[in-house]
Amino acid sequence: MRKTYSSLGAESLNLILIGFGNVGRALARILWEKIDRLRGLGLSINVTGIFKSNGGFVDSNGLMLGEILEKSEQHKSWVPGASPLSHIEELPCDVVVEMTPTNVRNGEPGVSFIRKALEEGKDVVTSNKGPLVVSMKSLLSLAERKGCFLLYEATVGAAIPIFTVAREFLRHDRIICVEGILNGTTNYILSRMSEDKVSFDDALREAQEMGYAEADPTYDVEGIDAACKLVILANGLMNMDKHLSDVEIEGISRVTPEMIELAEEDGYLVKHVAYLDGEKMEVAPRLVPKNSPLAVGGTFNVITLNTELSGPLTFIGKGAGPRETASAILADIITIAKKRGGIKSGEHVA
Ligand code: HSE
């Protein structure tokens, strides 16, 4: 039986962060901001490694996050070329937080980082869709064999706690179908085109500047990101074994200002809608009545679960944004700490 964090007392929950882009930096900042609150819960978080593609910040006694955010690679803990694969074994580490960019072709490098962490008996939290889209079943069964957690709340709907709700409150129920808006960038673009008559290209540029878009924004505009999330929902909520090739995908690149205007004259909005049931999985632009629950603006996502016993349950929240995504990651870290006995239940961080 692997160690629990229960004996924490003066001990710390040691984290390794992999990926230091918008989300990784936002997580480091939130950990820095919340450090005292977390300590108040008896959860002393220590980040022993932060890795980027060209090296890492390493300190087995715990990194000074504020200094690293300020000084970046000028910080004394910076080790050029350092790889997370060797440091997962060497550094004090309870939870590996994997936040590298999504790669839907083979899930790398995220798959290798997650696999290595689980093989070493570490719990894992990820915001990276690629590894789950490519190998969700095998990664989850590796986690189970190793007695580890693999949590991925941040991968779908960012701040919307959809998997936690399903895990905690709907275990007795059956989800029959799922409908929603799963990509913040495309919803932001369509909203800006409709509400402010901004051009597609300008709205996309804004979404990139604010850190909503994927590293490769064609994943957003061509519907691939929403399709990835639909696959994760199918497998995570409905116990399916789906892949990207199972999803009919149409993005928003063919949506014109004229289409949006015509729809509005008839009381509709053009939205990029995702749908999933036992037979069909699709993402495509659709006409949505202005008073529909799907008529959310900006980076909001919406997810409706149609269930056997509870009827329709609709969740709305910020589906993109570094802080919203990092917030979901921190929630997963706290869930793990709580399940390992390292935090008292029923207490709040803020
Ligand atoms: N690019 C994604 C989106 C980020 O816009 O929804 C969150 O997964």
Side-chain angles (χ1 to χ4, degrees), residues 129 154-155 182-186 212-214 220 225 229 301 319-320 325:
K129 287 147 271 188
T155 58
L182 302 180
N183 182 269
T185 299
T186 47
Y212 304 146
E214 294 300 293
D220 298 291
D225 178 76
K229 291 165 177 164
N301 280 191
T325 308

Side-chain angles (χ1 to χ4, degrees), residues 328-344:
I329 293 171
L330 181 53
D332 275 347
I333 293 168
I334 290 171
T335 297
I336 291 174
K338 209 151 90 180
K339 288 194 187 286
R340 296 277 184 213
I343 195 170
K344 290 171 237 148

Side-chain angles (χ1 to χ4, degrees), residues 16-20 49-51 84 88 96-100 113:
I16 286 181
L17 314 187
I18 309 178
F20 204 47
I50 300 177
F51 294 89
I88 285 171
V96 170
V97 185
E98 203 282 319
M99 300 170 285
T100 60
F113 295 147

